[in-house]
Amino acid sequence: MEPRLGTGLASPSAPRTVLQLLPALHVGGVERGTVDVALALRAAGWRAVVASAGGPLVAELERAGAVHVTLPLDSKNPLTIRANSRRLVEVIDRYDIDIVHARSRAPAWAGWLAARAAGRHFVTTFHGTHSHGNWAKRRYNAIMGRGERVIAISQFIAEHAYGVYGVPPERIRIIPRGIDFRRFDPHAVSGERVIQVASQWRLPDGVPVIMLPARFSRWKGHEVLIDAIARLGDRELMCVLVGATQGRDAYRTELEALIVAKGLGGRIQMVPDCRDMPAAYMLADVVVAPSTEPEAFGRVPVEAQAMGRPVIATDHGGARETVISGETGLLVPPGDAAALASAIADALDLRMEERRLLGEHAIAHVRANFDLGRMCAETLAVYAEILGIGDARQHSIAA
């Protein structure tokens, strides 16, 4: 069942239309959030349009009655960005767009130019810190702070937007990402689903599983985890690295060589993206998110906590807001393989009652703070605030 907008936000007399912009609609946090908001708009009686270069999530959008417009918004070429802005002016006119909501930098430049030319409202969501080591990069990134409202996905990102780009606090709205608790519910996952994933991955019976679900990107901390597993010596366990390479085949090859060099060939395996992550989490005795750079938010620790799994994350960025160290999971210093190894050992040594209490606290924590319905309601409240059709504090989502 899709999220439904509650009675707090009445549909306007004439339906309003929001155009969301992002590079593509592949599987990922930004993409999932875009689809979720589009579904909530449709459920509220609004019109939803999404423009991107396309991807597997387009079908889900269109099934819900949203419109997808295919444009090369994944290109950072300045000439393409200019061309996209002209195309977006046509889209704004064709679909009578009220608000342009950009979720990534190249689409944001095109969207800002188009919204300004068409005289429409412009909103951004700040999803990450982005590299900002020189003037040119900061100028390119600064477009994410030009929205009439700038949605930050964590307090960490809100402080970054203000501190680095000078976005006035009165324009910033903090809306943490939300997850669907109908999907990420340990009681909703059948034993058959768990067995199916275990069989696909060929996991040995009775062996503790350490899981890192993340795309194969260098800053996600795969090397730190591999080092930590090596430090655990002969302890019986299986480590699973779950994620897509997304063209980073050379990095994956490096990791394979590192695993062999440390003599861990039989204890660490790499598997592609999993279509049933709730079942995958249920297989894990410990879920690790050892990013060496701060996560803007970090969906993995939240999803894993929702499934009642012990979580170990890095003590920086969004993880400080999503994991309560010692109560719902553990936080370790960035890049510290020894500390990570110690935390993994502590998590594996939890007694059954300790593990149960940790899981209960984790589930309660994420359900109270990171609900999908709440995220959608607060996003629609920002739209209503800009359009002057409601009080942002009155909006809620009913499941």
PDB file of all heavy atoms in Angstrom, residues 66-102:
ATOM      1  N   ALA A  66       2.393   9.078 -12.136  1.00  0.00           N
ATOM      2  CA  ALA A  66       3.322  10.192 -12.313  1.00  0.00           C
ATOM      3  C   ALA A  66       3.828  10.201 -13.755  1.00  0.00           C
ATOM      4  O   ALA A  66       3.787   9.181 -14.452  1.00  0.00           O
ATOM      5  CB  ALA A  66       4.489  10.075 -11.345  1.00  0.00           C
ATOM      6  N   VAL A  67       4.323  11.338 -14.186  1.00  0.00           N
ATOM      7  CA  VAL A  67       4.859  11.498 -15.544  1.00  0.00           C
ATOM      8  C   VAL A  67       6.380  11.517 -15.474  1.00  0.00           C
ATOM      9  O   VAL A  67       6.961  12.191 -14.618  1.00  0.00           O
ATOM     10  CB  VAL A  67       4.353  12.802 -16.182  1.00  0.00           C
ATOM     11  CG1 VAL A  67       5.030  13.048 -17.525  1.00  0.00           C
ATOM     12  CG2 VAL A  67       2.840  12.762 -16.345  1.00  0.00           C
ATOM     13  N   HIS A  68       7.021  10.775 -16.370  1.00  0.00           N
ATOM     14  CA  HIS A  68       8.480  10.845 -16.479  1.00  0.00           C
ATOM     15  C   HIS A  68       8.863  11.450 -17.817  1.00  0.00           C
ATOM     16  O   HIS A  68       8.336  11.057 -18.862  1.00  0.00           O
ATOM     17  CB  HIS A  68       9.135   9.469 -16.341  1.00  0.00           C
ATOM     18  CG  HIS A  68      10.635   9.544 -16.434  1.00  0.00           C
ATOM     19  ND1 HIS A  68      11.324   9.323 -17.618  1.00  0.00           N
ATOM     20  CD2 HIS A  68      11.565   9.870 -15.507  1.00  0.00           C
ATOM     21  CE1 HIS A  68      12.623   9.485 -17.394  1.00  0.00           C
ATOM     22  NE2 HIS A  68      12.793   9.815 -16.125  1.00  0.00           N
ATOM     23  N   VAL A  69       9.780  12.414 -17.760  1.00  0.00           N
ATOM     24  CA  VAL A  69      10.313  13.044 -18.965  1.00  0.00           C
ATOM     25  C   VAL A  69      11.790  12.687 -19.064  1.00  0.00           C
ATOM     26  O   VAL A  69      12.558  12.939 -18.128  1.00  0.00           O
ATOM     27  CB  VAL A  69      10.153  14.579 -18.914  1.00  0.00           C
ATOM     28  CG1 VAL A  69      10.757  15.223 -20.160  1.00  0.00           C
ATOM     29  CG2 VAL A  69       8.685  14.961 -18.766  1.00  0.00           C
ATOM     30  N   THR A  70      12.181  12.078 -20.167  1.00  0.00           N
ATOM     31  CA  THR A  70      13.563  11.654 -20.339  1.00  0.00           C
ATOM     32  C   THR A  70      14.401  12.787 -20.932  1.00  0.00           C
ATOM     33  O   THR A  70      14.134  13.252 -22.048  1.00  0.00           O
ATOM     34  CB  THR A  70      13.645  10.420 -21.255  1.00  0.00           C
ATOM     35  OG1 THR A  70      12.846   9.374 -20.692  1.00  0.00           O
ATOM     36  CG2 THR A  70      15.084   9.934 -21.380  1.00  0.00           C
ATOM     37  N   LEU A  71      15.391  13.217 -20.161  1.00  0.00           N
ATOM     38  CA  LEU A  71      16.332  14.251 -20.586  1.00  0.00           C
ATOM     39  C   LEU A  71      17.724  13.852 -20.093  1.00  0.00           C
ATOM     40  O   LEU A  71      17.843  13.177 -19.060  1.00  0.00           O
ATOM     41  CB  LEU A  71      15.967  15.621 -19.989  1.00  0.00           C
ATOM     42  CG  LEU A  71      14.680  16.295 -20.468  1.00  0.00           C
ATOM     43  CD1 LEU A  71      14.421  17.556 -19.654  1.00  0.00           C
ATOM     44  CD2 LEU A  71      14.771  16.625 -21.942  1.00  0.00           C
ATOM     45  N   PRO A  72      18.788  14.287 -20.773  1.00  0.00           N
ATOM     46  CA  PRO A  72      20.143  13.918 -20.345  1.00  0.00           C
ATOM     47  C   PRO A  72      20.620  14.728 -19.138  1.00  0.00           C
ATOM     48  O   PRO A  72      21.650  15.414 -19.172  1.00  0.00           O
ATOM     49  CB  PRO A  72      20.988  14.208 -21.593  1.00  0.00           C
ATOM     50  CG  PRO A  72      20.266  15.317 -22.284  1.00  0.00           C
ATOM     51  CD  PRO A  72      18.796  15.055 -22.042  1.00  0.00           C
ATOM     52  N   LEU A  73      19.874  14.645 -18.047  1.00  0.00           N
ATOM     53  CA  LEU A  73      20.202  15.426 -16.859  1.00  0.00           C
ATOM     54  C   LEU A  73      21.378  14.854 -16.080  1.00  0.00           C
ATOM     55  O   LEU A  73      21.816  15.439 -15.088  1.00  0.00           O
ATOM     56  CB  LEU A  73      18.972  15.525 -15.951  1.00  0.00           C
ATOM     57  CG  LEU A  73      17.811  16.349 -16.499  1.00  0.00           C
ATOM     58  CD1 LEU A  73      16.607  16.259 -15.567  1.00  0.00           C
ATOM     59  CD2 LEU A  73      18.209  17.804 -16.684  1.00  0.00           C
ATOM     60  N   ASP A  74      21.884  13.714 -16.526  1.00  0.00           N
ATOM     61  CA  ASP A  74      23.073  13.139 -15.902  1.00  0.00           C
ATOM     62  C   ASP A  74      24.363  13.744 -16.447  1.00  0.00           C
ATOM     63  O   ASP A  74      25.459  13.416 -15.977  1.00  0.00           O
ATOM     64  CB  ASP A  74      23.094  11.624 -16.084  1.00  0.00           C
ATOM     65  CG  ASP A  74      22.935  11.192 -17.538  1.00  0.00           C
ATOM     66  OD1 ASP A  74      22.576  12.032 -18.392  1.00  0.00           O
ATOM     67  OD2 ASP A  74      23.168   9.997 -17.826  1.00  0.00           O
ATOM     68  N   SER A  75      24.259  14.637 -17.401  1.00  0.00           N
ATOM     69  CA  SER A  75      25.453  15.244 -18.006  1.00  0.00           C
ATOM     70  C   SER A  75      25.863  16.510 -17.262  1.00  0.00           C
ATOM     71  O   SER A  75      25.027  17.354 -16.925  1.00  0.00           O
ATOM     72  CB  SER A  75      25.179  15.589 -19.471  1.00  0.00           C
ATOM     73  OG  SER A  75      26.264  16.309 -20.018  1.00  0.00           O
ATOM     74  N   LYS A  76      27.177  16.639 -17.032  1.00  0.00           N
ATOM     75  CA  LYS A  76      27.731  17.845 -16.407  1.00  0.00           C
ATOM     76  C   LYS A  76      28.307  18.814 -17.443  1.00  0.00           C
ATOM     77  O   LYS A  76      28.864  19.854 -17.076  1.00  0.00           O
ATOM     78  CB  LYS A  76      28.814  17.461 -15.395  1.00  0.00           C
ATOM     79  CG  LYS A  76      28.300  16.625 -14.238  1.00  0.00           C
ATOM     80  CD  LYS A  76      29.423  16.269 -13.283  1.00  0.00           C
ATOM     81  CE  LYS A  76      28.908  15.405 -12.128  1.00  0.00           C
ATOM     82  NZ  LYS A  76      29.990  15.023 -11.186  1.00  0.00           N
ATOM     83  N   ASN A  77      28.184  18.468 -18.712  1.00  0.00           N
ATOM     84  CA  ASN A  77      28.676  19.330 -19.777  1.00  0.00           C
ATOM     85  C   ASN A  77      27.900  20.649 -19.775  1.00  0.00           C
ATOM     86  O   ASN A  77      26.672  20.642 -19.857  1.00  0.00           O
ATOM     87  CB  ASN A  77      28.509  18.617 -21.128  1.00  0.00           C
ATOM     88  CG  ASN A  77      29.085  19.406 -22.280  1.00  0.00           C
ATOM     89  OD1 ASN A  77      28.683  20.542 -22.521  1.00  0.00           O
ATOM     90  ND2 ASN A  77      30.014  18.808 -23.002  1.00  0.00           N
ATOM     91  N   PRO A  78      28.588  21.795 -19.680  1.00  0.00           N
ATOM     92  CA  PRO A  78      27.879  23.084 -19.615  1.00  0.00           C
ATOM     93  C   PRO A  78      26.943  23.327 -20.790  1.00  0.00           C
ATOM     94  O   PRO A  78      25.857  23.908 -20.615  1.00  0.00           O
ATOM     95  CB  PRO A  78      29.017  24.118 -19.596  1.00  0.00           C
ATOM     96  CG  PRO A  78      30.193  23.374 -19.042  1.00  0.00           C
ATOM     97  CD  PRO A  78      30.047  21.966 -19.534  1.00  0.00           C
ATOM     98  N   LEU A  79      27.315  22.867 -21.975  1.00  0.00           N
ATOM     99  CA  LEU A  79      26.450  23.060 -23.137  1.00  0.00           C
ATOM    100  C   LEU A  79      25.180  22.222 -23.005  1.00  0.00           C
ATOM    101  O   LEU A  79      24.077  22.671 -23.355  1.00  0.00           O
ATOM    102  CB  LEU A  79      27.198  22.697 -24.422  1.00  0.00           C
ATOM    103  CG  LEU A  79      28.389  23.594 -24.776  1.00  0.00           C
ATOM    104  CD1 LEU A  79      29.084  23.088 -26.029  1.00  0.00           C
ATOM    105  CD2 LEU A  79      27.946  25.039 -24.949  1.00  0.00           C
ATOM    106  N   THR A  80      25.339  21.002 -22.484  1.00  0.00           N
ATOM    107  CA  THR A  80      24.171  20.140 -22.281  1.00  0.00           C
ATOM    108  C   THR A  80      23.273  20.710 -21.190  1.00  0.00           C
ATOM    109  O   THR A  80      22.037  20.656 -21.299  1.00  0.00           O
ATOM    110  CB  THR A  80      24.611  18.715 -21.913  1.00  0.00           C
ATOM    111  OG1 THR A  80      25.486  18.210 -22.917  1.00  0.00           O
ATOM    112  CG2 THR A  80      23.412  17.791 -21.782  1.00  0.00           C
ATOM    113  N   ILE A  81      23.879  21.253 -20.132  1.00  0.00           N
ATOM    114  CA  ILE A  81      23.087  21.861 -19.058  1.00  0.00           C
ATOM    115  C   ILE A  81      22.258  23.015 -19.607  1.00  0.00           C
ATOM    116  O   ILE A  81      21.069  23.156 -19.293  1.00  0.00           O
ATOM    117  CB  ILE A  81      24.009  22.329 -17.910  1.00  0.00           C
ATOM    118  CG1 ILE A  81      24.578  21.113 -17.166  1.00  0.00           C
ATOM    119  CG2 ILE A  81      23.259  23.245 -16.950  1.00  0.00           C
ATOM    120  CD1 ILE A  81      25.628  21.456 -16.129  1.00  0.00           C
ATOM    121  N   ARG A  82      22.858  23.843 -20.465  1.00  0.00           N
ATOM    122  CA  ARG A  82      22.119  24.952 -21.088  1.00  0.00           C
ATOM    123  C   ARG A  82      20.968  24.414 -21.948  1.00  0.00           C
ATOM    124  O   ARG A  82      19.846  24.941 -21.900  1.00  0.00           O
ATOM    125  CB  ARG A  82      23.064  25.799 -21.933  1.00  0.00           C
ATOM    126  CG  ARG A  82      23.912  26.772 -21.141  1.00  0.00           C
ATOM    127  CD  ARG A  82      23.073  27.960 -20.712  1.00  0.00           C
ATOM    128  NE  ARG A  82      23.864  28.926 -19.972  1.00  0.00           N
ATOM    129  CZ  ARG A  82      23.371  30.038 -19.446  1.00  0.00           C
ATOM    130  NH1 ARG A  82      22.075  30.308 -19.597  1.00  0.00           N
ATOM    131  NH2 ARG A  82      24.137  30.869 -18.779  1.00  0.00           N
ATOM    132  N   ALA A  83      21.272  23.390 -22.714  1.00  0.00           N
ATOM    133  CA  ALA A  83      20.225  22.801 -23.562  1.00  0.00           C
ATOM    134  C   ALA A  83      19.113  22.201 -22.707  1.00  0.00           C
ATOM    135  O   ALA A  83      17.921  22.330 -23.026  1.00  0.00           O
ATOM    136  CB  ALA A  83      20.828  21.745 -24.477  1.00  0.00           C
ATOM    137  N   ASN A  84      19.491  21.564 -21.606  1.00  0.00           N
ATOM    138  CA  ASN A  84      18.490  21.003 -20.708  1.00  0.00           C
ATOM    139  C   ASN A  84      17.598  22.090 -20.118  1.00  0.00           C
ATOM    140  O   ASN A  84      16.392  21.886 -19.926  1.00  0.00           O
ATOM    141  CB  ASN A  84      19.161  20.215 -19.578  1.00  0.00           C
ATOM    142  CG  ASN A  84      19.621  18.838 -20.012  1.00  0.00           C
ATOM    143  OD1 ASN A  84      19.079  18.258 -20.948  1.00  0.00           O
ATOM    144  ND2 ASN A  84      20.622  18.305 -19.327  1.00  0.00           N
ATOM    145  N   SER A  85      18.192  23.239 -19.808  1.00  0.00           N
ATOM    146  CA  SER A  85      17.384  24.327 -19.242  1.00  0.00           C
ATOM    147  C   SER A  85      16.315  24.772 -20.226  1.00  0.00           C
ATOM    148  O   SER A  85      15.163  25.033 -19.838  1.00  0.00           O
ATOM    149  CB  SER A  85      18.272  25.501 -18.828  1.00  0.00           C
ATOM    150  OG  SER A  85      18.778  26.194 -19.954  1.00  0.00           O
ATOM    151  N   ARG A  86      16.661  24.834 -21.499  1.00  0.00           N
ATOM    152  CA  ARG A  86      15.665  25.220 -22.506  1.00  0.00           C
ATOM    153  C   ARG A  86      14.583  24.159 -22.636  1.00  0.00           C
ATOM    154  O   ARG A  86      13.386  24.479 -22.780  1.00  0.00           O
ATOM    155  CB  ARG A  86      16.368  25.458 -23.853  1.00  0.00           C
ATOM    156  CG  ARG A  86      17.309  26.672 -23.843  1.00  0.00           C
ATOM    157  CD  ARG A  86      17.780  27.009 -25.240  1.00  0.00           C
ATOM    158  NE  ARG A  86      18.659  25.992 -25.807  1.00  0.00           N
ATOM    159  CZ  ARG A  86      19.980  25.985 -25.651  1.00  0.00           C
ATOM    160  NH1 ARG A  86      20.574  26.942 -24.941  1.00  0.00           N
ATOM    161  NH2 ARG A  86      20.716  25.046 -26.203  1.00  0.00           N
ATOM    162  N   ARG A  87      14.991  22.894 -22.596  1.00  0.00           N
ATOM    163  CA  ARG A  87      13.998  21.813 -22.662  1.00  0.00           C
ATOM    164  C   ARG A  87      13.080  21.838 -21.445  1.00  0.00           C
ATOM    165  O   ARG A  87      11.878  21.561 -21.540  1.00  0.00           O
ATOM    166  CB  ARG A  87      14.713  20.462 -22.754  1.00  0.00           C
ATOM    167  CG  ARG A  87      15.562  20.270 -24.023  1.00  0.00           C
ATOM    168  CD  ARG A  87      16.208  18.902 -24.025  1.00  0.00           C
ATOM    169  NE  ARG A  87      17.111  18.720 -25.141  1.00  0.00           N
ATOM    170  CZ  ARG A  87      18.440  18.559 -25.021  1.00  0.00           C
ATOM    171  NH1 ARG A  87      18.998  18.532 -23.816  1.00  0.00           N
ATOM    172  NH2 ARG A  87      19.200  18.406 -26.077  1.00  0.00           N
ATOM    173  N   LEU A  88      13.639  22.176 -20.286  1.00  0.00           N
ATOM    174  CA  LEU A  88      12.839  22.206 -19.072  1.00  0.00           C
ATOM    175  C   LEU A  88      11.827  23.353 -19.080  1.00  0.00           C
ATOM    176  O   LEU A  88      10.742  23.225 -18.496  1.00  0.00           O
ATOM    177  CB  LEU A  88      13.747  22.301 -17.837  1.00  0.00           C
ATOM    178  CG  LEU A  88      14.487  21.011 -17.481  1.00  0.00           C
ATOM    179  CD1 LEU A  88      15.494  21.262 -16.361  1.00  0.00           C
ATOM    180  CD2 LEU A  88      13.514  19.905 -17.077  1.00  0.00           C
ATOM    181  N   VAL A  89      12.158  24.450 -19.714  1.00  0.00           N
ATOM    182  CA  VAL A  89      11.177  25.521 -19.872  1.00  0.00           C
ATOM    183  C   VAL A  89       9.963  24.997 -20.630  1.00  0.00           C
ATOM    184  O   VAL A  89       8.809  25.287 -20.283  1.00  0.00           O
ATOM    185  CB  VAL A  89      11.792  26.745 -20.590  1.00  0.00           C
ATOM    186  CG1 VAL A  89      10.706  27.743 -20.972  1.00  0.00           C
ATOM    187  CG2 VAL A  89      12.837  27.416 -19.707  1.00  0.00           C
ATOM    188  N   GLU A  90      10.217  24.182 -21.647  1.00  0.00           N
ATOM    189  CA  GLU A  90       9.115  23.581 -22.407  1.00  0.00           C
ATOM    190  C   GLU A  90       8.311  22.619 -21.527  1.00  0.00           C
ATOM    191  O   GLU A  90       7.079  22.582 -21.594  1.00  0.00           O
ATOM    192  CB  GLU A  90       9.666  22.838 -23.622  1.00  0.00           C
ATOM    193  CG  GLU A  90      10.368  23.737 -24.641  1.00  0.00           C
ATOM    194  CD  GLU A  90      11.030  22.936 -25.755  1.00  0.00           C
ATOM    195  OE1 GLU A  90      10.893  21.694 -25.749  1.00  0.00           O
ATOM    196  OE2 GLU A  90      11.682  23.552 -26.615  1.00  0.00           O
ATOM    197  N   VAL A  91       9.006  21.847 -20.684  1.00  0.00           N
ATOM    198  CA  VAL A  91       8.325  20.920 -19.781  1.00  0.00           C
ATOM    199  C   VAL A  91       7.470  21.693 -18.783  1.00  0.00           C
ATOM    200  O   VAL A  91       6.319  21.321 -18.497  1.00  0.00           O
ATOM    201  CB  VAL A  91       9.357  20.030 -19.047  1.00  0.00           C
ATOM    202  CG1 VAL A  91       8.674  19.193 -17.963  1.00  0.00           C
ATOM    203  CG2 VAL A  91      10.083  19.125 -20.039  1.00  0.00           C
ATOM    204  N   ILE A  92       8.022  22.771 -18.238  1.00  0.00           N
ATOM    205  CA  ILE A  92       7.281  23.597 -17.287  1.00  0.00           C
ATOM    206  C   ILE A  92       6.001  24.126 -17.917  1.00  0.00           C
ATOM    207  O   ILE A  92       4.924  24.105 -17.296  1.00  0.00           O
ATOM    208  CB  ILE A  92       8.173  24.760 -16.793  1.00  0.00           C
ATOM    209  CG1 ILE A  92       9.278  24.218 -15.871  1.00  0.00           C
ATOM    210  CG2 ILE A  92       7.347  25.818 -16.065  1.00  0.00           C
ATOM    211  CD1 ILE A  92      10.346  25.248 -15.534  1.00  0.00           C
ATOM    212  N   ASP A  93       6.098  24.557 -19.155  1.00  0.00           N
ATOM    213  CA  ASP A  93       4.920  25.088 -19.858  1.00  0.00           C
ATOM    214  C   ASP A  93       3.921  23.980 -20.184  1.00  0.00           C
ATOM    215  O   ASP A  93       2.710  24.131 -19.984  1.00  0.00           O
ATOM    216  CB  ASP A  93       5.368  25.802 -21.129  1.00  0.00           C
ATOM    217  CG  ASP A  93       4.191  26.399 -21.884  1.00  0.00           C
ATOM    218  OD1 ASP A  93       3.534  27.298 -21.334  1.00  0.00           O
ATOM    219  OD2 ASP A  93       3.935  25.961 -23.025  1.00  0.00           O
ATOM    220  N   ARG A  94       4.427  22.844 -20.647  1.00  0.00           N
ATOM    221  CA  ARG A  94       3.545  21.749 -21.074  1.00  0.00           C
ATOM    222  C   ARG A  94       2.727  21.200 -19.916  1.00  0.00           C
ATOM    223  O   ARG A  94       1.535  20.909 -20.059  1.00  0.00           O
ATOM    224  CB  ARG A  94       4.377  20.640 -21.707  1.00  0.00           C
ATOM    225  CG  ARG A  94       3.546  19.485 -22.277  1.00  0.00           C
ATOM    226  CD  ARG A  94       4.435  18.324 -22.697  1.00  0.00           C
ATOM    227  NE  ARG A  94       5.650  18.782 -23.367  1.00  0.00           N
ATOM    228  CZ  ARG A  94       6.814  18.128 -23.347  1.00  0.00           C
ATOM    229  NH1 ARG A  94       6.923  16.979 -22.675  1.00  0.00           N
ATOM    230  NH2 ARG A  94       7.859  18.607 -23.982  1.00  0.00           N
ATOM    231  N   TYR A  95       3.362  21.043 -18.747  1.00  0.00           N
ATOM    232  CA  TYR A  95       2.686  20.418 -17.609  1.00  0.00           C
ATOM    233  C   TYR A  95       2.240  21.427 -16.550  1.00  0.00           C
ATOM    234  O   TYR A  95       1.789  21.030 -15.481  1.00  0.00           O
ATOM    235  CB  TYR A  95       3.598  19.356 -16.979  1.00  0.00           C
ATOM    236  CG  TYR A  95       3.872  18.196 -17.909  1.00  0.00           C
ATOM    237  CD1 TYR A  95       5.101  18.104 -18.574  1.00  0.00           C
ATOM    238  CD2 TYR A  95       2.912  17.220 -18.149  1.00  0.00           C
ATOM    239  CE1 TYR A  95       5.360  17.043 -19.439  1.00  0.00           C
ATOM    240  CE2 TYR A  95       3.165  16.160 -19.013  1.00  0.00           C
ATOM    241  CZ  TYR A  95       4.387  16.082 -19.653  1.00  0.00           C
ATOM    242  OH  TYR A  95       4.637  15.044 -20.509  1.00  0.00           O
ATOM    243  N   ASP A  96       2.362  22.719 -16.848  1.00  0.00           N
ATOM    244  CA  ASP A  96       1.945  23.781 -15.929  1.00  0.00           C
ATOM    245  C   ASP A  96       2.567  23.571 -14.544  1.00  0.00           C
ATOM    246  O   ASP A  96       1.877  23.498 -13.523  1.00  0.00           O
ATOM    247  CB  ASP A  96       0.417  23.828 -15.831  1.00  0.00           C
ATOM    248  CG  ASP A  96      -0.074  25.098 -15.147  1.00  0.00           C
ATOM    249  OD1 ASP A  96       0.689  26.088 -15.092  1.00  0.00           O
ATOM    250  OD2 ASP A  96      -1.215  25.099 -14.641  1.00  0.00           O
ATOM    251  N   ILE A  97       3.876  23.492 -14.524  1.00  0.00           N
ATOM    252  CA  ILE A  97       4.625  23.224 -13.300  1.00  0.00           C
ATOM    253  C   ILE A  97       4.553  24.421 -12.355  1.00  0.00           C
ATOM    254  O   ILE A  97       4.754  25.564 -12.771  1.00  0.00           O
ATOM    255  CB  ILE A  97       6.096  22.894 -13.619  1.00  0.00           C
ATOM    256  CG1 ILE A  97       6.200  21.687 -14.566  1.00  0.00           C
ATOM    257  CG2 ILE A  97       6.899  22.671 -12.340  1.00  0.00           C
ATOM    258  CD1 ILE A  97       5.668  20.394 -14.012  1.00  0.00           C
ATOM    259  N   ASP A  98       4.305  24.145 -11.070  1.00  0.00           N
ATOM    260  CA  ASP A  98       4.314  25.195 -10.047  1.00  0.00           C
ATOM    261  C   ASP A  98       5.663  25.289  -9.336  1.00  0.00           C
ATOM    262  O   ASP A  98       6.129  26.381  -9.006  1.00  0.00           O
ATOM    263  CB  ASP A  98       3.224  24.917  -9.005  1.00  0.00           C
ATOM    264  CG  ASP A  98       1.840  24.999  -9.595  1.00  0.00           C
ATOM    265  OD1 ASP A  98       1.372  26.125  -9.833  1.00  0.00           O
ATOM    266  OD2 ASP A  98       1.226  23.941  -9.833  1.00  0.00           O
ATOM    267  N   ILE A  99       6.265  24.128  -9.062  1.00  0.00           N
ATOM    268  CA  ILE A  99       7.521  24.075  -8.305  1.00  0.00           C
ATOM    269  C   ILE A  99       8.500  23.160  -9.025  1.00  0.00           C
ATOM    270  O   ILE A  99       8.144  22.039  -9.414  1.00  0.00           O
ATOM    271  CB  ILE A  99       7.294  23.543  -6.872  1.00  0.00           C
ATOM    272  CG1 ILE A  99       6.392  24.489  -6.081  1.00  0.00           C
ATOM    273  CG2 ILE A  99       8.625  23.353  -6.146  1.00  0.00           C
ATOM    274  CD1 ILE A  99       5.997  23.945  -4.717  1.00  0.00           C
ATOM    275  N   VAL A 100       9.733  23.622  -9.190  1.00  0.00           N
ATOM    276  CA  VAL A 100      10.832  22.802  -9.694  1.00  0.00           C
ATOM    277  C   VAL A 100      11.695  22.416  -8.497  1.00  0.00           C
ATOM    278  O   VAL A 100      12.194  23.284  -7.783  1.00  0.00           O
ATOM    279  CB  VAL A 100      11.671  23.564 -10.740  1.00  0.00           C
ATOM    280  CG1 VAL A 100      12.853  22.703 -11.193  1.00  0.00           C
ATOM    281  CG2 VAL A 100      10.809  23.978 -11.926  1.00  0.00           C
ATOM    282  N   HIS A 101      11.843  21.124  -8.270  1.00  0.00           N
ATOM    283  CA  HIS A 101      12.573  20.606  -7.111  1.00  0.00           C
ATOM    284  C   HIS A 101      13.779  19.811  -7.603  1.00  0.00           C
ATOM    285  O   HIS A 101      13.628  18.720  -8.161  1.00  0.00           O
ATOM    286  CB  HIS A 101      11.652  19.718  -6.271  1.00  0.00           C
ATOM    287  CG  HIS A 101      12.290  19.164  -5.041  1.00  0.00           C
ATOM    288  ND1 HIS A 101      11.598  18.385  -4.140  1.00  0.00           N
ATOM    289  CD2 HIS A 101      13.549  19.272  -4.535  1.00  0.00           C
ATOM    290  CE1 HIS A 101      12.405  18.027  -3.149  1.00  0.00           C
ATOM    291  NE2 HIS A 101      13.603  18.537  -3.384  1.00  0.00           N
ATOM    292  N   ALA A 102      14.968  20.360  -7.405  1.00  0.00           N
ATOM    293  CA  ALA A 102      16.203  19.736  -7.899  1.00  0.00           C
ATOM    294  C   ALA A 102      16.912  18.992  -6.773  1.00  0.00           C
ATOM    295  O   ALA A 102      17.032  19.494  -5.658  1.00  0.00           O
ATOM    296  CB  ALA A 102      17.130  20.791  -8.484  1.00  0.00           C
TER     297      ALA A 102
END
